[in-house]
Amino acid sequence: MISYLIKRILWVIPTLFGVSLLVFSMLHLTPGEPALAILGEHATAESIEKFNKEMGLDKPLNEQYINFISKAIKGDFGVSLKSKQPVLVEFKERFFATAELAIVAMFFAIIFGVIMGVISAVYRYSKFDYLSTFISLTGVSMPVFWLGLMLIYLFSIYLELLPVSGRLGYEFWVDEITGFYLIDTLLNKDYPAFFDAFKHILMPAFALGTIPMAIIARMSRASMSGVLKEDYIKTAKAKGLSGIRVILIHALKNALIPVITIIGLMMGTLLGGAILTESTFSWPGIGKWLVNAVNQRDFPIIQGTTLIIAIIYVSINLITDILYAVVNPKIRLK
Amino acid sequence: MKKMFLLSSLVAFNMLYANPVDGGVLVFGRSGDSSTLDPSKATDGESFYGTTQVYDTLVQFKLGSTEIEPALAKSYEISEDGLTYIFHLREGVYFAPTKYFNEKVEMTADDVVFSLKRQFDEKHPYNKINGPHDYWSAMDMDNIVKDVEKIDKYTVKVTLKKREAPFLANMAMDFASILCEKYANELLAKNKAQDITRLPVGTGPFVLVDWKKDDKMIFNANKEYWGGKPHLDRLIIRVIPNPSVRAAELKAGQIQVMDFPNPAELKDLEKNPNIKVMKKEGMNVGYMAMNQKRAEFKNPLVRQAINHAINKKAIVDAIYEGLGSVADSPIPPSMWSYTNDIAKYDYDPKKAKELLVQAGYPNGFKTNMWVLPVSRPYMPDGKRVAEVVQADLAKIGIEAKIATYDYTTYLEKSKNLEHDIMFSGWTGDNGDPDNFLYALLSKAAAKLPANNYSAWENDEFNNLVTKAKETPNQEERVKLYEEAQKIFAKDAPWVTIANAVNVVPMLKKIQGFEIDPVGKRRFHTVWIEK
């Protein structure tokens, strides 16, 4: 187990190095000067030159890369060309919003996805099974921004139940402790604010969680169906155990193994890919910020954030693999 | 029934004689966040939305116009040779205390010297902090300003390197905002100088309370504002990237004023009984530039032919959805010195064809046309405009192939004059015709990286706009600019397409809001009907 762990952890280093090199070269090989993107139409030759010099963009590429990577190792991801603030500070200000949204969306996706999948597997070809297949297919094919707008029109404009956008009503004030509003409002003992934050996160989390939910539902159904055919399930049933007990204790544990991998992978995707959802619901996370940075060729933000996201992604994968190995000892033997 | 009548006439009476009411929170929904709150570091309009609330300038644009009026300077004198400007500061103006700098400091000449000098004096402690002062360079101020000195506590002298009539208008722009020297020095001593980009201390009508990135900025009214206290208690500027969601928020009453509506949704907003849509001609022009580095476009007959070939009215009607008017001059009609008395190019394909034959291209020619990849205030949908133009040109035998790049690459390649034909536009910075005519069409602007996308170098025009720059008398300047517009129109380096209209939807109960042609959003005079 320990040697597996060490090997697995050592793999992280070349992966991250590869990511940094790839992002750096892709960024610098695409045309489009950052000075122009930032100074815009009004840029003069003089101001472009001055900008490049002060931002270190006039140096050779290899020097820029070494500079970037040696600073990144020390935890310094550079300074945004546009706002002149450290990338890490800018990132932190937005990351927790994205993380909170992703976690709630994932939570929603797992609970509904697994329940739907398991019931579908147990009652295969029933009406519920067809309905859940229909929901999953619709969920996978629906564009997030469209779903988001429809939700807004239904729940905010027509029914007036939920707020249109944002993270918290302006009448509330939360001292940020963890950066997660659902937790911070509780820590502040401000229950109306908690309720408001909860109302704000419902629609975006639903919109963001729909696709993972559909995938998890399909995965759990397939995996559960397979497991239910296994001999040990038949044995358990033959022993006279109740149906629920067989499904929840004997079958579910094994059926969830492939689902855990998918969940791990999807968590990373959710973190990086909440762009459309964040934009639709004006969720102040890293999505829109990163898109702006790409448009403005804000190299330090793109490089730094990609690297930070890669670190998070790799860590989540690492944890998933370890969990996987713990649940299924056969894996680490291979 | 009688009661109803009484009630409604009472309401009507109230509305007719409504006096500004104090109090309330106004939430303004915009499309993106500010990148910084340091006015000299910003180049984007969104950042200036933030700094405008907190800071003041020496002179300012009169609300809703481009006329200059005194602000922190109660008066100014300009020397005969136009090289010295003396600003007499208002006395008893204080920087508003904030959570992070809870001191009441009086604004004096030192603050003015500090704020302006840091942008060009390399020895200034704040010159190198947080990167270059982009707007100062972009406005060519390095070549205009020689020195800024304090005469006494309330008097500042600015010396110029050369005569520059638009200088005063430049001083009304956000980059020339006055910051608090004492606060800046304290930050420097604490090694926290970069904080000035997010924690501003100014003399403006509002005070920053909190800035949650990509979410909202919260401002409280500066109750002791020298220009009279604002009616609002609090101003919240929210970031709502999606225009449909902004409109939904407005309908739900969650925001009271919104930026940049989707033109397609405007009719729906106008129908809503709680919403009014304010419109005002913008200070912008959308145009198509023909690069004179290409043989075909060197010939003025070809350029005139193309001008006749394009149906501008059809473009404005279909693509601007009525939110614009056909442009004929490089400066918008809202700008002083604009003249209508110039050569006009009506839609006339037959005449266009004739001109093309005269120019020696009876069968037309092939060319490339670059399309604006992003929607800009002066051109909401570049691709559709280009498609109409392409079809119009085809009718006279010019085969234009459409191409585009992402916006940054587009700008870079255009500034290198790599295009044949390209679409662009301009929004005025300072309400001065110089900012259009010299910045976009002078010989200096044709040098790489060029803002003169036509590479048009006309001596007569160039002399006029250069002379106007150095002429302090406005009446004389008007004459020079009128003459320059005539030459432009005759020589036709561009096809001027449209002047777009600024549109701001808001709740009906919002009063006192004015659309600034320079694109500022000011809330000092805004109040909410109860």
Side-chain angles (χ1 to χ4, degrees):
Chain A
M1 180 72 185
I2 288 177
S3 72
Y4 170 78
L5 266 183
I6 293 174
K7 253 194 257 171
R8 192 62 196 71
I9 290 169
L10 281 180
W11 259 113
V12 166
I13 297 165
T15 311
L16 290 180
F17 185 72
V19 167
S20 72
L21 193 63
L22 201 68
V23 174
F24 184 86
S25 37
M26 272 165 68
L27 265 181
H28 289 266
L29 289 177
T30 40
E33 247 192 276
L36 264 178
I38 286 165
L39 306 180
E41 297 152 326
H42 304 259
T44 59
E46 245 170 44
S47 59
I48 292 170
E49 196 186 325
K50 205 164 158 189
F51 181 89
N52 285 339
K53 201 174 144 218
E54 297 199 19
M55 292 296 154
L57 294 168
D58 55 341
K59 298 202 179 86
L61 278 190
N62 54 355
E63 201 176 310
Q64 284 189 46
Y65 179 70
I66 292 168
N67 199 1
F68 160 61
I69 206 77
S70 55
K71 277 186 177 166
I73 290 170
K74 290 178 217 143
D76 175 3
F77 293 90
V79 172
S80 157
L81 299 180
K82 182 103 190 166
S83 73
K84 319 286 180 338
Q85 288 279 313
V87 173
L88 204 57
V89 172
E90 292 251 294
F91 179 80
K92 266 195 215 151
E93 275 170 327
R94 293 158 172 100
F95 175 72
F96 292 101
T98 299
E100 183 174 39
L101 178 61
I103 290 168
V104 175
M106 206 60 211
F107 204 65
F108 155 79
I110 292 170
I111 291 181
F112 286 92
V114 170
I115 292 177
M116 258 167 66
V118 168
I119 299 181
S120 294
V122 174
Y123 301 102
R124 269 208 291 180
Y125 310 119
S126 66
K127 271 182 194 153
F128 181 87
D129 189 20
Y130 288 122
L131 180 71
S132 100
T133 308
F134 173 75
I135 294 175
S136 316
L137 277 177
T138 331
V140 172
S141 9
M142 201 145 38
V144 171
F145 63 90
W146 186 82
L147 174 65
L149 283 179
M150 289 305 116
L151 288 173
I152 289 174
Y153 280 112
L154 180 63
F155 289 103
S156 308
I157 306 290
Y158 188 67
L159 297 172
E160 295 182 13
L161 285 174
L162 296 172
V164 180
S165 67
R167 231 182 142 191
L168 191 67
Y170 60 79
E171 59 273 33
F172 296 104
W173 204 279
V174 181
D175 287 326
E176 285 190 30
I177 303 162
T178 61
F180 295 105
Y181 280 12
L182 289 177
I183 297 172
D184 289 348
T185 46
L186 288 179
L187 291 177
N188 281 314
K189 293 204 173 62
D190 189 345
Y191 303 112
F194 170 79
F195 190 59
D196 190 64
F198 182 71
K199 282 203 318 201
H200 273 88
I201 205 168
L202 270 181
M203 283 198 295
F206 178 80
L208 184 62
T210 304
I211 291 176
M213 181 199 72
I215 296 171
I216 291 173
R218 298 314 294 162
M219 284 281 301
S220 333
R221 182 186 182 274
S223 165
M224 193 71 180
S225 305
V227 171
L228 285 178
K229 283 184 209 142
E230 297 277 340
D231 286 345
Y232 70 91
I233 298 291
K234 286 178 192 155
T235 315
K237 277 184 185 162
K239 278 201 292 188
L241 296 176
S242 72
I244 298 245
R245 203 182 148 88
V246 171
I247 290 161
L248 290 187
I249 295 179
H250 295 259
L252 195 59
K253 192 179 146 199
N254 288 313
L256 281 186
I257 292 176
V259 180
I260 291 178
T261 325
I262 285 287
I263 291 172
L265 285 173
M266 278 194 295
M267 194 62 204
T269 322
L270 280 187
L271 279 180
I275 294 164
L276 288 173
T277 316
E278 287 188 0
S279 204
T280 308
F281 290 97
S282 315
W283 194 262
I286 49 178
K288 176 81 181 159
W289 172 66
L290 207 54
V291 172
N292 279 344
V294 171
N295 285 335
Q296 288 164 343
R297 300 287 194 279
D298 200 332
F299 290 158
I301 289 189
I302 311 168
Q303 281 162 198
T305 309
T306 315
L307 198 57
I308 301 170
I309 291 177
I311 294 171
I312 296 171
Y313 204 101
V314 166
S315 314
I316 292 175
N317 272 333
L318 187 68
I319 295 168
T320 320
D321 280 359
I322 294 168
L323 272 181
Y324 210 84
V326 172
V327 180
N328 189 353
K330 274 191 207 161
I331 303 286
R332 56 182 187 243
L333 290 179
K334 285 178 192 164
Chain B
M1 192 67 206
K2 211 173 169 186
K3 238 186 191 167
M4 273 280 276
F5 175 76
L6 207 70
L7 200 73
S8 55
S9 49
L10 209 68
V11 170
F13 179 84
N14 259 332
M15 281 171 80
L16 263 175
Y17 295 97
N19 277 320
V21 184
D22 283 354
V25 181
L26 182 113
V27 190
F28 169 66
R30 59 160 162 180
S31 64
D33 202 6
S34 299
S35 55
T36 172
L37 279 177
D38 182 343
S40 88
K41 295 290 158 34
T43 48
D44 55 322
E46 296 292 355
S47 289
F48 294 135
Y49 278 12
T51 59
T52 300
Q53 318 307 332
V54 178
Y55 290 113
D56 285 309
T57 39
L58 291 175
V59 287
Q60 66 187 14
F61 299 112
K62 208 175 226 175
L63 191 63
S65 87
T66 55
E67 212 178 299
I68 305 288
E69 66 177 11
L72 287 181
K74 61 181 180 209
S75 64
Y76 50 84
E77 292 153 29
I78 308 170
S79 68
E80 287 249 321
D81 60 2
L83 293 178
T84 312
Y85 285 68
I86 307 266
F87 291 99
H88 300 282
L89 303 183
R90 217 174 273 275
E91 292 169 29
V93 174
Y94 289 88
F95 288 99
T98 62
K99 222 168 35 181
Y100 38 88
F101 183 70
N102 198 2
E103 249 179 88
K104 205 172 152 191
V105 181
E106 192 185 4
M107 189 270 314
T108 65
D110 290 323
D111 300 301
V112 178
V113 174
F114 168 83
S115 305
L116 298 180
K117 226 169 168 175
R118 71 178 179 134
Q119 306 191 48
F120 67 92
D121 179 8
E122 296 200 350
K123 285 187 213 112
H124 193 286
Y126 263 87
N127 182 256
K128 288 278 176 281
I129 284 170
N130 304 333
H133 304 270
D134 298 329
Y135 227 100
W136 183 272
S137 316
M139 294 303 289
D140 204 29
M141 295 295 276
D142 282 322
N143 294 320
I144 296 169
V145 173
K146 193 165 160 197
D147 204 9
V148 180
E149 297 155 275
K150 169 185 175 179
I151 305 270
D152 60 40
K153 195 175 173 192
Y154 298 110
T155 318
V156 177
K157 182 169 103 176
V158 182
T159 327
L160 305 190
K161 289 180 180 167
K162 56 177 185 191
R163 268 180 184 274
E164 173 77 8
F167 170 75
L168 202 61
N170 291 356
M171 286 293 100
M173 291 169 65
D174 286 272
F175 77 86
S177 296
I178 305 307
L179 279 64
C180 178
E181 185 186 21
K182 186 160 186 239
Y183 169 61
N185 285 341
E186 258 177 44
L187 285 180
L188 201 62
K190 282 190 225 154
N191 210 5
K192 281 186 166 174
Q194 77 277 6
D195 277 5
I196 212 157
T197 59
R198 57 184 189 94
L199 301 172
V201 170
T203 56
F206 293 93
V207 183
L208 181 75
V209 179
D210 196 15
W211 179 12
K212 292 225 186 310
K213 292 280 168 68
D214 296 320
D215 187 12
K216 56 182 168 255
M217 278 181 179
I218 303 176
F219 300 90
N220 278 350
N222 174 7
K223 295 227 161 69
E224 289 172 40
Y225 185 52
W226 58 268
K229 83 176 176 59
H231 301 301
L232 299 170
D233 289 335
R234 178 169 278 188
L235 166 70
I236 296 172
I237 303 188
R238 274 192 57 194
V239 180
I240 305 170
N242 187 316
S244 303
V245 176
R246 280 202 296 282
E249 288 269 20
L250 185 69
K251 283 184 205 156
Q254 290 293 306
I255 61 174
Q256 281 93 51
V257 184
M258 77 172 273
D259 235 359
F260 313 135
N262 186 346
E265 285 171 319
L266 210 57
K267 283 199 187 84
D268 185 47
L269 284 172
E270 276 171 333
K271 261 189 260 157
N272 190 307
N274 300 321
I275 293 172
K276 61 181 172 188
V277 177
M278 208 179 230
K279 292 180 189 171
K280 190 169 180 176
E281 205 156 342
M283 207 172 58
N284 59 49
V285 62
Y287 64 86
M288 178 181 119
M290 297 164 273
N291 184 0
Q292 298 190 17
K293 299 263 180 234
R294 303 284 177 271
E296 299 89 353
F297 301 126
K298 272 201 180 109
N299 190 334
L301 292 173
V302 172
R303 303 195 299 262
Q304 288 164 357
I306 289 178
N307 261 288
H308 274 302
I310 294 168
N311 190 346
K312 300 185 203 175
K313 174 130 196 333
I315 292 175
V316 170
D317 287 348
I319 297 157
Y320 288 73
E321 310 219 17
L323 295 178
S325 47
V326 171
D328 42 25
S329 161
I331 57 174
S334 56
M335 172 80 78
W336 57 270
S337 84
Y338 166 84
T339 174
N340 205 356
D341 183 20
I342 53 176
K344 296 265 170 47
Y345 297 93
D346 313 324
Y347 175 56
D348 191 345
K350 224 173 110 192
K351 194 164 177 191
K353 185 83 200 168
E354 277 168 29
L355 284 166
L356 214 53
V357 173
Q358 266 182 54
Y361 295 98
N363 302 317
F365 53 85
K366 282 186 184 166
T367 188
N368 282 311
M369 184 157 73
W370 289 6
V371 177
L372 260 180
V374 286
S375 119
R376 307 290 300 153
Y378 41 74
M379 206 173 281
D381 190 340
K383 189 165 171 276
R384 280 176 64 206
V385 172
E387 282 164 359
V388 176
V389 169
Q390 186 186 38
D392 281 344
L393 292 182
K395 284 179 205 151
I396 60 164
I398 298 177
E399 193 185 312
K401 216 169 97 190
I402 290 184
T404 195
Y405 303 90
D406 71 280
Y407 192 46
T408 313
T409 314
Y410 185 83
L411 274 179
E412 188 178 327
K413 286 169 124 16
S414 304
K415 278 178 186 281
N416 281 328
L417 299 174
E418 291 174 33
H419 55 277
D420 297 341
I421 293 177
M422 59 85 73
F423 288 89
S424 186
W426 189 259
T427 303
D429 288 305
N430 58 2
D432 197 291
D434 172 77
N435 187 249
F436 282 77
L437 298 174
Y438 191 87
L440 304 177
L441 292 158
S442 66
K443 280 178 153 181
K447 289 205 186 81
L448 298 186
N451 268 338
N452 183 340
Y453 295 131
S454 292
W456 181 57
E457 299 191 31
N458 181 305
D459 287 329
E460 219 182 324
F461 178 91
N462 199 60
N463 290 342
L464 286 165
V465 292
T466 311
K467 196 174 166 204
K469 215 175 167 49
E470 293 160 4
T471 307
N473 183 311
Q474 179 141 346
E475 273 169 44
E476 284 172 42
R477 292 185 73 204
V478 169
K479 278 184 205 138
L480 293 167
Y481 285 134
E482 280 175 356
E483 205 51 44
Q485 287 169 76
K486 280 180 190 158
I487 294 165
F488 167 89
K490 216 169 68 194
D491 219 29
W494 295 352
V495 177
T496 52
I497 296 172
N499 305 115
V501 169
N502 284 327
V503 186
V504 183
M506 66 189 79
L507 295 185
K508 278 201 176 129
K509 61 181 182 183
I510 301 304
Q511 306 293 339
F513 183 87
E514 288 278 348
I515 297 178
D516 266 327
V518 284
K520 286 178 183 244
R521 292 283 182 260
R522 291 194 273 182
F523 298 96
H524 172 216
T525 53
V526 174
W527 55 280
I528 305 171
E529 224 169 60
K530 290 271 147 64

